[in-house]
Amino acid sequence: MADNQTKRVVVAIDGPAGAGKSTIARRLAQRLGFTYIDTGAMYRAVALWALRQGVRFDDLHRMEQLAMAATIELAPGRIRLNGEDASDAIRTPEVSSGASQIAVIPGVRRAMVGKQREIGERSSVVMEGRDIGTVVFPNAAVKIYLDADIEERVRRRLEEERAKGSTVNAGALAEQMKERDRRDSTRADAPLAQAPDATYLNSTGMSLDEVEEAILKIVRARVTNGKEYQKESEARSQKSE
Ligand code: DC
């Protein structure tokens, strides 16, 4: 087994759309000193490129080519696609639906999983998506399945949309989210599923702080002597100084 100096830790967070994965994963990564990886943003970037190139989402061969050729760089909350900042462009309803459609293609998934494993092999990560604990890092030290009731997930997404100035209607948004969840959890290749060894957490009615603390407790229980864990302790002691 790797010693403390080289040990890398993977915290995998999976769950349906709107469960709060991104917000929580970003906060946890900051707290732990890990790299935050939003894998949904990667599928979104490929869908955006397809839209711009006029490639149909059901063109398996060309979609796989795009996924393999895409240069994707991630920074917390930002993404660059082929050198261009695409952070806002990937957040449209068209791209959300497109990402879920191209995510059923095995060749696209292979390309994305390869990139995700490369990142996870370089540093400790908090990685969130749909198949992180089941497929990308089945040996992740910590696996969380983060859920929330559908009404709450729609309400949270609606708030995010309204904050951006969008006038999306609640009924239409609920339908889009349900359709995406249905497609993401019924596809043949790496569907959204809770890994048998994942901890299930339903965040309905919980504050962000409460969810963060609940997951940190699990991280502490499972990762007791990693180098990164020390980083968290250091950050906490600096905070209290
Ligand atoms: O997390 P998100 O809503 O940004 O993800 C967009 C879509 O990408 C989602 O509907 C399904 C797909 N996806 C996936 O299939 N596997 C992942 N690990 C992450 C996202």
Side-chain angles (χ1 to χ4, degrees):
M1 215 177 105
D3 62 26
N4 286 353
Q5 292 309 306
T6 55
K7 187 175 175 192
R8 285 177 302 277
V9 176
V10 174
V11 177
I13 303 182
D14 292 303
K21 300 186 298 296
S22 304
T23 312
I24 286 298
R26 191 177 316 156
R27 286 173 61 149
L28 278 173
Q30 202 171 20
R31 188 97 175 249
L32 294 163
F34 291 10
T35 303
Y36 161 57
I37 302 295
D38 173 358
T39 62
M42 299 171 72
Y43 288 90
R44 286 170 178 271
V46 175
L48 174 67
W49 200 15
L51 280 169
R52 287 179 172 172
Q53 297 287 312
V55 175
R56 287 173 50 122
F57 295 143
D58 59 1
D59 185 337
L60 308 193
H61 182 62
R62 294 220 49 213
M63 282 309 319
E64 179 174 354
Q65 283 179 329
L66 283 191
M68 286 194 306
T71 303
I72 295 171
E73 297 158 86
L74 292 164
R78 312 301 300 172
I79 184 164
R80 292 176 79 81
L81 167 66
N82 302 327
E84 178 205 324
D85 190 328
S87 317
D88 297 328
I90 61 163
R91 298 290 163 197
T92 65
E94 208 181 3
V95 174
S96 301
S97 166
S100 168
Q101 291 176 60
I102 62 149
V104 306
I105 304 173
V108 169
R109 302 205 69 81
R110 255 194 312 278
M112 294 298 105
V113 170
K115 291 178 203 285
Q116 290 153 13
R117 287 189 178 143
E118 248 173 55
I119 304 170
E121 276 152 20
R122 283 201 299 266
S123 59
S124 289
V125 292
V126 179
M127 192 173 281
E128 53 105 349
R130 305 292 189 285
D131 60 342
I132 311 307
T134 50
V135 173
V136 184
F137 287 109
N139 296 322
V142 180
K143 297 183 189 181
I144 308 290
Y145 188 90
L146 188 61
D147 202 359
D149 296 352
I150 179 72
E151 296 78 21
E152 174 121 352
R153 293 193 285 114
V154 171
R155 192 183 55 69
R156 289 178 189 167
R157 267 293 144 86
L158 201 59
E159 270 175 23
E160 277 171 24
E161 288 298 318
R162 296 206 166 134
K164 285 193 298 190
S166 153
T167 53
V168 68
N169 150 297
L173 186 70
E175 280 318 305
Q176 285 163 16
M177 286 177 68
K178 283 183 195 162
E179 170 61 14
R180 210 145 65 84
D181 284 346
R182 189 199 55 74
R183 199 187 293 115
D184 294 344
S185 47
T186 57
R187 67 179 173 231
D189 189 6
L192 164 65
Q194 181 183 347
D197 52 348
T199 302
Y200 179 87
L201 189 61
N202 188 319
S203 66
T204 309
M206 288 172 82
S207 70
L208 278 172
D209 284 345
E210 287 169 337
V211 178
E212 187 181 330
E213 280 310 317
I215 299 180
L216 270 176
K217 220 183 244 177
I218 299 165
V219 174
R220 288 190 198 110
R222 311 222 40 180
V223 185
T224 51
N225 58 358
K227 182 171 142 219
E228 285 72 19
Y229 180 69
Q230 285 167 16
K231 265 192 204 155
E232 191 221 349
S233 321
E234 283 159 20
R236 286 162 72 77
S237 66
Q238 275 165 13
K239 223 175 170 183
S240 59
E241 270 166 22

